[in-house]
Amino acid sequence: NVGYRVGDFAAVENAEQFAPLIAQMAMRAAQEVQALKTKFKTFENVLDYLVQHITHDGWPVSHAAIAMGLAGEIAASKELFRRLEAWRSNGADWEQKLKSDSAALADLLEEPAEFRRAVLRIIGECRALNGLPRDLHCLESIGSSIVAH
């Protein structure tokens, strides 16, 4: 995940105060979306960002490993997946699922189409958890050099 809340909490007491604040927040959100679209115009931009932001084990390593795998950088991806395998997590359910999913993905790296399908399945699960519709073409939408199906 990139970014965070861009505005402060706004206390209002009535609808008249609410409308202009919402308009300002919507405008700011649109600006932030545009900035992110510019920052991540290509898959290579995304990949570079993920690799540069491996600040700790867990999700940052997983995201970079998956991106490397999608880019066809198999050796680098395997190394990051090995790092996740060796990660001494606290044993939380989400950590165990992350490690399990990562191990399954690592096993598919030599089969690009299967790896891609597995990544799309995980993306679909995450989108569903966030109340978003499926997007089977999400990997194509960023004009990348992602491994073809």
Side-chain angles (χ1 to χ4, degrees):
N1 294 336
V2 177
Y4 190 65
R5 184 178 309 166
V6 295
D8 294 327
F9 175 77
V12 296
E13 295 179 18
N14 57 51
E16 291 79 31
Q17 294 174 334
F18 189 70
L21 288 173
I22 288 300
Q24 289 173 349
M25 288 179 181
M27 186 179 300
R28 179 68 195 271
Q31 291 169 342
E32 289 297 316
V33 167
Q34 193 56 46
L36 289 172
K37 283 183 176 182
T38 299
K39 183 175 187 169
F40 299 119
K41 192 172 278 188
T42 67
F43 181 75
E44 289 72 23
N45 298 142
V46 173
L47 179 60
D48 290 344
Y49 177 88
L50 292 173
V51 169
Q52 291 171 14
H53 287 84
I54 300 175
T55 56
H56 58 277
D57 287 326
W59 289 113
V61 176
S62 174
H63 293 156
I66 291 168
M68 285 288 202
L70 289 170
E73 300 289 339
I74 305 303
S77 181
K78 282 182 179 180
E79 182 59 35
L80 290 170
F81 279 129
R82 277 193 289 274
R83 179 173 165 180
L84 271 173
E85 182 181 9
W87 173 38
R88 292 184 183 204
S89 67
N90 295 318
D93 290 345
W94 71 267
E95 293 171 329
Q96 296 310 310
K97 178 159 176 37
L98 177 60
K99 289 181 78 158
S100 173
D101 286 350
S102 295
L105 286 172
D107 288 343
L108 297 174
L109 279 169
E110 301 294 338
E111 302 173 50
E114 291 301 317
F115 180 80
R116 181 187 179 87
R117 275 192 277 285
V119 169
L120 283 170
R121 180 187 51 75
I122 291 169
I123 291 170
E125 290 171 2
C126 291
R127 290 181 64 86
L129 286 172
N130 287 288
L132 298 170
R134 293 190 70 75
D135 182 358
L136 298 177
H137 304 288
C138 63
L139 296 179
E140 288 86 8
S141 67
I142 53 178
S144 72
S145 60
I146 296 173
V147 179
H149 356 222

Short mmCIF file of all heavy atoms in Angstrom, two decimals, residues 55-85:
data_model
loop_
_atom_site.label_atom_id
_atom_site.label_comp_id
_atom_site.label_asym_id
_atom_site.label_seq_id
_atom_site.Cartn_x
_atom_site.Cartn_y
_atom_site.Cartn_z
N THR A 55 11.49 -2.48 3.45
CA THR A 55 11.99 -1.93 4.71
C THR A 55 12.00 -2.95 5.83
O THR A 55 12.70 -2.78 6.82
CB THR A 55 11.13 -0.73 5.14
OG1 THR A 55 9.76 -1.16 5.22
CG2 THR A 55 11.26 0.40 4.14
N HIS A 56 11.21 -4.00 5.69
CA HIS A 56 11.16 -5.05 6.70
C HIS A 56 10.54 -6.30 6.08
O HIS A 56 9.97 -6.24 4.99
CB HIS A 56 10.37 -4.59 7.93
CG HIS A 56 8.96 -4.20 7.63
ND1 HIS A 56 8.63 -2.94 7.17
CD2 HIS A 56 7.80 -4.89 7.70
CE1 HIS A 56 7.32 -2.88 6.98
NE2 HIS A 56 6.80 -4.04 7.28
N ASP A 57 10.68 -7.41 6.77
CA ASP A 57 10.11 -8.66 6.26
C ASP A 57 8.60 -8.60 6.29
O ASP A 57 8.00 -7.76 6.95
CB ASP A 57 10.62 -9.84 7.08
CG ASP A 57 12.08 -10.16 6.79
OD1 ASP A 57 12.50 -9.97 5.63
OD2 ASP A 57 12.79 -10.58 7.72
N GLY A 58 7.99 -9.52 5.58
CA GLY A 58 6.53 -9.56 5.52
C GLY A 58 6.04 -9.03 4.18
O GLY A 58 6.58 -9.35 3.13
N TRP A 59 5.02 -8.20 4.24
CA TRP A 59 4.38 -7.72 3.02
C TRP A 59 5.33 -7.04 2.04
O TRP A 59 5.24 -7.31 0.82
CB TRP A 59 3.22 -6.79 3.35
CG TRP A 59 2.04 -7.50 3.94
CD1 TRP A 59 1.56 -7.39 5.22
CD2 TRP A 59 1.22 -8.48 3.30
NE1 TRP A 59 0.50 -8.23 5.39
CE2 TRP A 59 0.26 -8.92 4.24
CE3 TRP A 59 1.20 -9.04 2.04
CZ2 TRP A 59 -0.70 -9.87 3.94
CZ3 TRP A 59 0.25 -10.00 1.73
CH2 TRP A 59 -0.69 -10.40 2.67
N PRO A 60 6.23 -6.16 2.48
CA PRO A 60 7.11 -5.53 1.49
C PRO A 60 7.94 -6.53 0.69
O PRO A 60 8.10 -6.38 -0.53
CB PRO A 60 8.01 -4.62 2.34
CG PRO A 60 7.20 -4.33 3.56
CD PRO A 60 6.44 -5.60 3.83
N VAL A 61 8.41 -7.57 1.33
CA VAL A 61 9.19 -8.60 0.63
C VAL A 61 8.29 -9.39 -0.31
O VAL A 61 8.65 -9.66 -1.46
CB VAL A 61 9.89 -9.53 1.65
CG1 VAL A 61 10.61 -10.66 0.93
CG2 VAL A 61 10.86 -8.75 2.52
N SER A 62 7.10 -9.73 0.17
CA SER A 62 6.15 -10.47 -0.66
C SER A 62 5.79 -9.70 -1.92
O SER A 62 5.82 -10.25 -3.03
CB SER A 62 4.90 -10.79 0.15
OG SER A 62 3.91 -11.39 -0.66
N HIS A 63 5.44 -8.44 -1.76
CA HIS A 63 5.06 -7.63 -2.92
C HIS A 63 6.19 -7.54 -3.93
O HIS A 63 5.96 -7.66 -5.15
CB HIS A 63 4.63 -6.23 -2.46
CG HIS A 63 3.37 -6.24 -1.67
ND1 HIS A 63 3.07 -5.24 -0.78
CD2 HIS A 63 2.33 -7.11 -1.61
CE1 HIS A 63 1.89 -5.50 -0.21
NE2 HIS A 63 1.44 -6.63 -0.70
N ALA A 64 7.40 -7.32 -3.46
CA ALA A 64 8.54 -7.23 -4.37
C ALA A 64 8.82 -8.57 -5.04
O ALA A 64 9.13 -8.63 -6.24
CB ALA A 64 9.78 -6.73 -3.62
N ALA A 65 8.70 -9.67 -4.29
CA ALA A 65 8.93 -11.00 -4.87
C ALA A 65 7.93 -11.29 -5.97
O ALA A 65 8.28 -11.80 -7.04
CB ALA A 65 8.84 -12.06 -3.77
N ILE A 66 6.67 -10.96 -5.74
CA ILE A 66 5.64 -11.19 -6.74
C ILE A 66 5.91 -10.33 -7.97
O ILE A 66 5.84 -10.81 -9.11
CB ILE A 66 4.24 -10.91 -6.15
CG1 ILE A 66 3.90 -11.98 -5.11
CG2 ILE A 66 3.18 -10.84 -7.25
CD1 ILE A 66 2.68 -11.66 -4.26
N ALA A 67 6.22 -9.06 -7.78
CA ALA A 67 6.49 -8.18 -8.91
C ALA A 67 7.68 -8.68 -9.71
O ALA A 67 7.65 -8.67 -10.95
CB ALA A 67 6.71 -6.75 -8.42
N MET A 68 8.73 -9.12 -9.02
CA MET A 68 9.90 -9.66 -9.72
C MET A 68 9.50 -10.89 -10.54
O MET A 68 9.95 -11.05 -11.68
CB MET A 68 11.00 -10.04 -8.73
CG MET A 68 11.72 -8.86 -8.17
SD MET A 68 12.77 -8.12 -9.42
CE MET A 68 13.91 -7.27 -8.40
N GLY A 69 8.68 -11.75 -9.96
CA GLY A 69 8.22 -12.94 -10.68
C GLY A 69 7.42 -12.57 -11.91
O GLY A 69 7.59 -13.16 -12.99
N LEU A 70 6.53 -11.60 -11.78
CA LEU A 70 5.73 -11.16 -12.93
C LEU A 70 6.59 -10.53 -14.01
O LEU A 70 6.27 -10.62 -15.20
CB LEU A 70 4.66 -10.16 -12.47
CG LEU A 70 3.51 -10.74 -11.65
CD1 LEU A 70 2.66 -9.63 -11.07
CD2 LEU A 70 2.67 -11.70 -12.49
N ALA A 71 7.68 -9.91 -13.61
CA ALA A 71 8.60 -9.27 -14.56
C ALA A 71 9.54 -10.28 -15.21
O ALA A 71 10.33 -9.92 -16.08
CB ALA A 71 9.40 -8.18 -13.86
N GLY A 72 9.48 -11.53 -14.76
CA GLY A 72 10.36 -12.55 -15.33
C GLY A 72 11.73 -12.59 -14.68
O GLY A 72 12.62 -13.28 -15.16
N GLU A 73 11.91 -11.85 -13.60
CA GLU A 73 13.18 -11.83 -12.86
C GLU A 73 13.15 -12.98 -11.84
O GLU A 73 13.01 -12.77 -10.63
CB GLU A 73 13.36 -10.49 -12.17
CG GLU A 73 13.39 -9.30 -13.11
CD GLU A 73 14.66 -9.27 -13.94
OE1 GLU A 73 15.66 -9.89 -13.56
OE2 GLU A 73 14.63 -8.62 -15.00
N ILE A 74 13.25 -14.19 -12.35
CA ILE A 74 13.02 -15.39 -11.55
C ILE A 74 14.03 -15.54 -10.41
O ILE A 74 13.66 -15.83 -9.28
CB ILE A 74 13.03 -16.66 -12.45
CG1 ILE A 74 12.02 -16.52 -13.58
CG2 ILE A 74 12.79 -17.91 -11.62
CD1 ILE A 74 10.60 -16.27 -13.17
N ALA A 75 15.31 -15.35 -10.68
CA ALA A 75 16.33 -15.52 -9.64
C ALA A 75 16.11 -14.54 -8.49
O ALA A 75 16.17 -14.92 -7.32
CB ALA A 75 17.73 -15.35 -10.22
N ALA A 76 15.84 -13.28 -8.81
CA ALA A 76 15.60 -12.27 -7.78
C ALA A 76 14.33 -12.59 -7.00
O ALA A 76 14.28 -12.44 -5.77
CB ALA A 76 15.52 -10.88 -8.40
N SER A 77 13.31 -13.03 -7.71
CA SER A 77 12.06 -13.39 -7.05
C SER A 77 12.26 -14.56 -6.10
O SER A 77 11.79 -14.54 -4.96
CB SER A 77 11.00 -13.74 -8.11
OG SER A 77 9.78 -14.05 -7.49
N LYS A 78 12.99 -15.58 -6.56
CA LYS A 78 13.25 -16.74 -5.70
C LYS A 78 13.99 -16.32 -4.43
O LYS A 78 13.69 -16.82 -3.34
CB LYS A 78 14.09 -17.79 -6.45
CG LYS A 78 13.30 -18.61 -7.42
CD LYS A 78 14.19 -19.65 -8.09
CE LYS A 78 13.40 -20.49 -9.06
NZ LYS A 78 14.21 -21.52 -9.72
N GLU A 79 14.95 -15.43 -4.58
CA GLU A 79 15.71 -14.97 -3.41
C GLU A 79 14.79 -14.29 -2.40
O GLU A 79 14.90 -14.51 -1.19
CB GLU A 79 16.84 -14.03 -3.85
CG GLU A 79 17.70 -13.55 -2.71
CD GLU A 79 18.38 -14.69 -1.94
OE1 GLU A 79 18.76 -15.70 -2.56
OE2 GLU A 79 18.52 -14.56 -0.70
N LEU A 80 13.89 -13.45 -2.88
CA LEU A 80 12.96 -12.77 -1.97
C LEU A 80 11.99 -13.76 -1.34
O LEU A 80 11.67 -13.64 -0.15
CB LEU A 80 12.22 -11.66 -2.72
CG LEU A 80 13.08 -10.47 -3.10
CD1 LEU A 80 12.33 -9.53 -4.02
CD2 LEU A 80 13.56 -9.73 -1.86
N PHE A 81 11.52 -14.74 -2.11
CA PHE A 81 10.64 -15.75 -1.52
C PHE A 81 11.38 -16.59 -0.47
O PHE A 81 10.81 -16.96 0.54
CB PHE A 81 10.04 -16.65 -2.61
CG PHE A 81 8.85 -16.05 -3.32
CD1 PHE A 81 8.80 -16.02 -4.70
CD2 PHE A 81 7.77 -15.54 -2.62
CE1 PHE A 81 7.71 -15.48 -5.37
CE2 PHE A 81 6.67 -15.00 -3.26
CZ PHE A 81 6.64 -14.97 -4.65
N ARG A 82 12.68 -16.87 -0.72
CA ARG A 82 13.47 -17.58 0.30
C ARG A 82 13.58 -16.75 1.57
O ARG A 82 13.54 -17.27 2.69
CB ARG A 82 14.86 -17.91 -0.24
CG ARG A 82 14.90 -19.17 -1.07
CD ARG A 82 16.33 -19.65 -1.32
NE ARG A 82 17.06 -18.79 -2.25
CZ ARG A 82 17.02 -18.89 -3.56
NH1 ARG A 82 16.30 -19.83 -4.14
NH2 ARG A 82 17.73 -18.08 -4.32
N ARG A 83 13.72 -15.44 1.40
CA ARG A 83 13.78 -14.55 2.56
C ARG A 83 12.48 -14.65 3.37
O ARG A 83 12.52 -14.69 4.61
CB ARG A 83 14.01 -13.12 2.09
CG ARG A 83 14.06 -12.11 3.20
CD ARG A 83 14.46 -10.75 2.69
NE ARG A 83 14.17 -9.71 3.68
CZ ARG A 83 14.41 -8.43 3.50
NH1 ARG A 83 14.96 -8.01 2.38
NH2 ARG A 83 14.10 -7.56 4.43
N LEU A 84 11.35 -14.71 2.69
CA LEU A 84 10.07 -14.86 3.39
C LEU A 84 9.99 -16.21 4.10
O LEU A 84 9.47 -16.30 5.21
CB LEU A 84 8.91 -14.74 2.41
CG LEU A 84 8.38 -13.35 2.18
CD1 LEU A 84 7.34 -13.34 1.08
CD2 LEU A 84 7.79 -12.77 3.45
N GLU A 85 10.49 -17.25 3.44
CA GLU A 85 10.47 -18.57 4.04
C GLU A 85 11.28 -18.59 5.35
O GLU A 85 10.89 -19.21 6.33
CB GLU A 85 11.03 -19.59 3.05
CG GLU A 85 11.01 -21.01 3.56
CD GLU A 85 11.61 -21.97 2.54
OE1 GLU A 85 12.19 -21.54 1.53
OE2 GLU A 85 11.50 -23.19 2.80
#
